[in-house]
Amino acid sequence: MNHFLDINKTSAADLHKIISEGHRIKTARKGLPKGTPDAEQPLANHMVALIFEKPSTRTRVSFDVGVRQMGGETMVLSGRDMQLGHGETIADTARVLSRYVDMIMIRTFEEATLLEMAEYASVPVINGLTDRTHPCQIMADIMTFEENNGPIKGKKVVWTGDGNNVCASFIHAAGQFGFDLTFAGPEQLDPEQVFVDEARAKGVNITIERDAEKAVQGADLVVADTWVSMHDAQSARERRHNLLRPYQVNDALMAQAKPDAKFMHCLPAHRGEEVTNPVMDGPQSLVFDEAENRLHAQKAVMRWCLGA
């Protein structure tokens, strides 16, 4: 049994195996209707709990479809259904769920909730997102880049905007997959220094650059994310827009990157804010490929968790 909690907590060898498995799974399904079961059914007779304290589109649908394609069944639970850590301790919830289901995916706020769930569950736990990290998204992103531009090792990735949870997992991935990452954003929104230091200790270059145009020079991949979250107050939204406006990804910025550079965004995107329509819908954009690959990469993660 393996938990998939963060990219930096999973060995590089296993991460590469998961990516390779994601490619294999995707290839095997080419041309099949979405509802067609996989030829292999590693989750047959398995029940998977999908817990959402935070709302979701891609995470919910991709995990639900992935479990079903691999022969399993899902139980989708919201924060209202469970009241995690309120009516019952997270530890007790983990123990109880482990008696009913074979695997747990949780999308939550506090990292501590995820860690306590994993500590007391006797079945695999997958991090579907916390306020601190988003590893499943980055596994899909690595898979997407490599199927278009080859191995990501030694490449230059540029993150523009807020050093948020998705950025944190990209920094984790830099250390594990061996690529360099430049963060281009305001000082107030820098990524956590502990993540930067850990990646640098593994021999990759993690650069902090305030000038967006300078940052993307020679980039193989440019990545953006939303400037505000759904929970931010209006005053916070206005402050963030003022801070982040110089880091918008547009045609002029992409022109500073390599000619074959790609653009990614984990979605949902606020078009006209962090990225313009011509970039989102242009030939360098991989945003919908990476959204699709959430399905295939997460199926590979689930198989790895179960040793299937």
Side-chain angles (χ1 to χ4, degrees), residues 1-54:
M1 184 192 78
N2 297 302
H3 297 309
F4 188 75
L5 303 181
D6 271 316
I7 287 174
N8 65 335
K9 295 177 181 176
T10 307
S11 74
D14 282 342
L15 293 170
H16 283 287
K17 288 177 184 177
I18 292 169
I19 295 294
S20 295
E21 181 70 357
H23 289 302
R24 187 191 70 80
I25 289 169
K26 183 175 183 178
T27 299
R29 287 201 60 85
K30 190 173 182 180
L32 293 177
K34 305 300 186 293
T36 304
D38 289 352
E40 300 171 351
Q41 295 282 279
L43 265 64
N45 303 315
H46 284 62
M47 178 66 72
V48 180
L50 306 177
I51 303 172
F52 293 93
E53 285 200 295
K54 283 190 172 185

Side-chain angles (χ1 to χ4, degrees), residues 216-278:
V216 300
Q217 290 175 6
D220 298 284
L221 173 63
V222 179
V223 190
D225 197 1
T226 54
W227 289 349
V228 296
S229 78
M230 65 187 74
H231 306 290
D232 287 334
Q234 184 60 36
S235 58
R237 291 170 180 262
E238 292 172 0
R239 285 196 302 272
R240 280 177 169 265
H241 277 86
N242 291 334
L243 281 172
L244 292 166
R245 196 165 288 114
Y247 301 97
Q248 181 190 72
V249 181
N250 50 40
D251 284 337
L253 191 66
M254 288 299 297
Q256 303 298 316
K258 288 183 179 179
D260 64 344
K262 304 303 183 188
F263 170 76
M264 287 189 184
H265 191 302
C266 66
L267 302 178
H270 295 173
R271 290 169 176 258
E273 294 183 8
E274 69 270 10
V275 60
T276 60
N277 284 338

